[in-house]
Amino acid sequence: KMFYHRLGSEQSTDILCVEFPDEPHWISNSEVSDCGRYLIVYVRKGCDPVNKIWIHDIDQTKGIAEGPLAVTKLIDHFNASYDYVTNDGTRFYFHTNENAPRYRVASVDLADPGNWMDVIPECGHLLDWTACVKKDLLVTCYLEHCVNTLYIYNLKGEKLHQIPLLPGSVVGYSGKPKDDFMFFKFTSYTTPGVIYHVDLSSDQFPSKVYKETSLTGIDLNDFETKQIFFKSKDGTQVPMFVTHRKVRPLLEIKVGENLWSHS
């Protein structure tokens, strides 16, 4: 069940907004759209990774619930996962695996709910998550050959930039549609943790170190990680990581007939 609670009031006065009396295994949660006008209700069935999407227009009730909410059942079946990314008016953008096991970003207009459009189509790599920043930019995190990659798209699905990363993992993210910057945390075999700031006000999207975890007694700059691939028995290219001390360059000095090598 989902209730409307007014801050400072008694719980006994909460107003029931959404319930499923005939479906004891259904559970729900919700979030407010970036524009503040819509309530997105997620309806899930137990622990299955699928959900429905119901949408309530908050303007209809002036933000005050007095009983069960009137909802548009945009997605009313349990056949895939749908996560709200952002909306531009009545056009909503979702991160979904509907007909796309590696996920994609799709959009639909509430005025034409049967007409879904691909914004970022499924590709050969897993689209781990998608977020909206600076109102009309999409940040996407892919898993490519066991490492994370970050890209920036516009709402038309045009790729604008790839954020340069060494082989590793993006383990944290912070950014909002109202901001012209974002942060993300990166770790790798030679990086215990570094937080980057990305300036979205520039078309170049420059990034810089904001905070970094430092270790005593070891200089991580002395090490490097390389990703290599080897072929398995069935021909599959298997990624592997090799971490080692950086090889110091060989200095050769020729004096007369003698060759001196120093490393």
Side-chain angles (χ1 to χ4, degrees):
K1 296 181 180 181
M2 184 180 299
F3 290 84
Y4 173 82
H5 175 79
R6 187 186 295 273
L7 292 177
S9 65
E10 295 295 329
Q11 184 178 354
S12 59
T13 65
D14 289 357
I15 298 172
L16 179 63
C17 296
V18 178
E19 68 171 338
F20 323 104
D22 299 326
E23 300 292 347
H25 299 293
W26 289 15
I27 55 178
S28 64
N29 63 292
S30 63
E31 64 176 308
V32 177
S33 63
D34 294 334
C35 64
R37 176 173 175 174
Y38 300 98
L39 180 72
I40 299 100
V41 180
Y42 296 85
V43 182
R44 307 182 189 278
K45 187 176 182 180
C47 296
D48 294 341
V50 294
N51 62 278
K52 300 183 178 188
I53 293 288
W54 296 353
I55 297 179
H56 168 70
D57 187 347
I58 298 174
D59 282 359
Q60 292 181 352
T61 55
K62 298 181 180 180
I64 301 175
E66 297 179 348
L69 298 178
V71 296
T72 298
K73 296 182 178 181
L74 183 63
I75 300 162
D76 200 31
H77 47 69
F78 292 115
N79 69 348
S81 171
Y82 303 87
D83 285 308
Y84 168 79
V85 177
T86 191
N87 67 292
D88 182 12
T90 57
R91 178 161 292 279
F92 280 68
Y93 296 77
F94 293 93
H95 174 260
T96 179
N97 63 352
E98 182 185 20
N99 299 321
R102 293 185 179 88
Y103 287 83
R104 62 190 174 108
V105 175
S107 73
V108 64
D109 197 305
L110 296 183
D112 189 11
N115 185 19
W116 285 75
M117 299 174 55
D118 264 347
V119 179
I120 303 177
E122 180 190 26
C123 69
H125 303 291
L126 175 67
L127 177 53
D128 198 8
W129 54 262
T130 307
C132 180
V133 290
K134 201 188 173 186
K135 189 178 180 179
D136 58 358
L137 296 179
L138 300 176
V139 180
T140 62
C141 181
Y142 283 89
L143 183 63
E144 301 184 16
H145 303 300
C146 299
V147 300
N148 281 143
T149 54
L150 287 177
Y151 300 92
I152 297 177
Y153 290 79
N154 59 24
L155 292 182
K156 297 178 182 179
E158 298 169 337
K159 186 186 295 183
L160 304 178
H161 182 67
Q162 179 178 0
I163 298 175
L165 294 175
L166 295 172
S169 301
V170 176
V171 297
Y173 167 83
S174 177
K176 297 180 179 179
K178 65 181 180 65
D179 297 329
D180 60 359
F181 60 87
M182 72 179 203
F183 297 91
F184 68 91
K185 185 175 182 180
F186 175 81
T187 64
S188 70
Y189 291 105
T190 57
T191 305
V194 55
I195 298 175
Y196 288 96
H197 171 277
V198 182
D199 181 5
L200 302 172
S201 64
S202 167
D203 292 340
Q204 303 301 314
F205 305 107
S207 59
K208 64 180 181 180
V209 174
Y210 179 73
K211 294 286 185 180
E212 187 172 10
T213 301
S214 59
L215 300 177
T216 58
I218 184 173
D219 186 355
L220 296 176
N221 292 320
D222 291 339
F223 298 85
E224 64 180 347
T225 297
K226 295 180 180 180
Q227 185 179 36
I228 61 175
F229 294 84
F230 66 93
K231 186 179 294 186
S232 66
K233 291 182 178 180
D234 64 358
T236 302
Q237 292 291 322
V238 180
M240 183 172 69
F241 300 91
V242 178
T243 301
H244 57 85
R245 284 186 178 273
K246 293 180 179 178
V247 178
R248 297 174 61 185
L250 184 67
L251 176 63
E252 296 184 346
I253 304 176
K254 187 173 183 180
V255 181
E257 298 298 324
N258 298 317
L259 181 64
W260 301 81
S261 299
H262 300 273
S263 62

